[in-house]
């Protein structure tokens, strides 16, 4: 096999197979939203804002037993190499759906019947792994909004590139590599909230990639915690 993306165990951007890109997380960056987060993950730049719980309208969409989690993932036209047509497309509708379901898995929705919790994820710059970065930012924004959750969800992808299982794929690795496995978890219990796979891996490689993604999630979770502690360290209890 010709190796184009990994040479002598080092990837094109200088990372080892199990290394994450550089991540920066800031909580509470928007004053108008109930909760917010700005996240940079490699070249990904993502803004997440939470609004609610608010009365779900029109009333026929209300659920009398729980809140509806309404995540909306949106890519700015200028966020990708080739200008993206504004507005929802198949991909963003899919990512919005899986993100809503992942977040619903940790939010105590039964505490807020008949309401809606809006989670807006705006991708300002995209470089692969945006659904994981979006879920990670949304989790911090939800915590910043004071939404009760059983855990602070986090996401990270692993995959296979040039026959090697790697953590946190870049755009080139995503396009040219063999497989991408985005995973979101509730870190305390390791309950899986989202798992998707693009491409092919053997079962053994899948197990290895999943383990690597979980390790990545744990590291990113520490940064989420730090961002929240940083925002609230000066508040009196
Ligand atoms: N991408 C793009 N144009 C699009 C959609 C995606 O250039 O309309 C790029 C973008 O960098 C994105 C990457 O392709 O991050 C991988 O997209 P994928 O659907 O695998 O989702 P992601 O890895 O971002 O969760």
């Amino acid at each position: 096999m010709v190796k184009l993306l990994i040479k002598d165990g080092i990837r094109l951007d200088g990372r080892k197979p199990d290394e994450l890109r550089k991540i920066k997380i800031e909580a509470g960056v928007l004053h108008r939203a109930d909760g917010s987060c700005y996240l940079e993950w490699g070249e990904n730049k993502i803004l997440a804002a939470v609004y609610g719980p608010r009365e779900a309208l029109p009333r026929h969409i209300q659920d009398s037993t729980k809140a509806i989690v309404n995540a909306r993932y949106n890519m700015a036209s200028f966020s990708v190499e080739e200008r993206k047509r504004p507005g929802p497309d198949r991909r963003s509708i899919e990512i919005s759906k899986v993100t809503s379901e992942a977040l619903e898995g940790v939010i105590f929705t039964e505490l807020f019947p008949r309401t809606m919790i809006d989670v807006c994820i705006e991708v300002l710059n995209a470089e692969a792994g945006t659904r994981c970065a979006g879920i990670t930012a949304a989790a911090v924004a939800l915590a910043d909004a004071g939404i009760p959750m059983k855990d602070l969800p986090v996401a990270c992808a692993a995959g296979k590139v040039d026959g090697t299982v790697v953590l946190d794929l870049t755009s080139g690795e995503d396009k040219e590599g063999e497989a991408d496995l985005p995973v979101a978890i509730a870190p305390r219990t390791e309950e899986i909230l989202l798992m998707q796979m693009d491409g092919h891996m053997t079962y053994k490689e899948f197990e290895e990639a999943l383990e690597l993604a979980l390790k990545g999630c744990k590291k990113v979770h520490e940064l989420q915690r730090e961002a929240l502690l940083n925002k609230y360290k000066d508040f009196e209890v």
Side-chain angles (χ1 to χ4, degrees), residues 17-32:
D18 63 350
E19 225 176 298
L20 284 167
R21 286 175 281 179
K22 201 161 169 268
I23 299 175
K24 200 180 103 184
I25 308 179
E26 199 179 338
V29 291
L30 304 171
H31 296 296
R32 301 266 186 234

Side-chain angles (χ1 to χ4, degrees), residues 120-153:
C120 299
I121 298 165
E122 298 291 334
V123 179
L124 307 175
N125 207 67
E127 194 62 58
T130 56
R131 77 194 64 205
C132 290
I135 290 172
T136 301
V140 173
L142 282 164
D144 183 44
I147 305 284
M149 292 185 281
K150 64 179 179 191
D151 206 345
L152 188 65

Side-chain angles (χ1 to χ4, degrees), residues 75 80 91 126-131 171 174:
M75 262 186 159
V80 282
R91 178 177 170 278
E127 194 62 58
T130 56
R131 77 194 64 205
S171 190
D174 188 26

Side-chain angles (χ1 to χ4, degrees), residues 1-7 10-12 159-166 173 176-179 205:
M1 180 200 265
V2 186
K3 304 227 166 190
L4 297 170
L5 298 165
I6 301 187
K7 207 166 165 251
I10 299 294
R11 297 151 77 177
L12 283 185
K160 184 181 165 191
V161 170
D162 279 352
T164 306
V165 171
V166 299
E173 291 173 335
E176 307 299 331
E178 292 95 287
E205 285 163 346

Side-chain angles (χ1 to χ4, degrees), residues 21 44 46 73 75-76 79-85 89 91-92 94-95 123 125-134 157 169-172 174-175 180 182 196 198:
R21 286 175 281 179
N44 288 318
I46 310 234
Y73 166 102
M75 262 186 159
S79 67
V80 282
E81 206 171 322
E82 216 165 289
R83 179 186 177 273
K84 192 201 156 287
R85 203 163 160 242
D89 54 14
R91 178 177 170 278
S92 64
E94 172 218 318
I95 297 180
V123 179
N125 207 67
E127 194 62 58
T130 56
R131 77 194 64 205
C132 290
L169 281 70
T170 58
S171 190
D174 188 26
K175 282 196 198 97
D180 184 25
Q196 298 183 288
D198 219 2

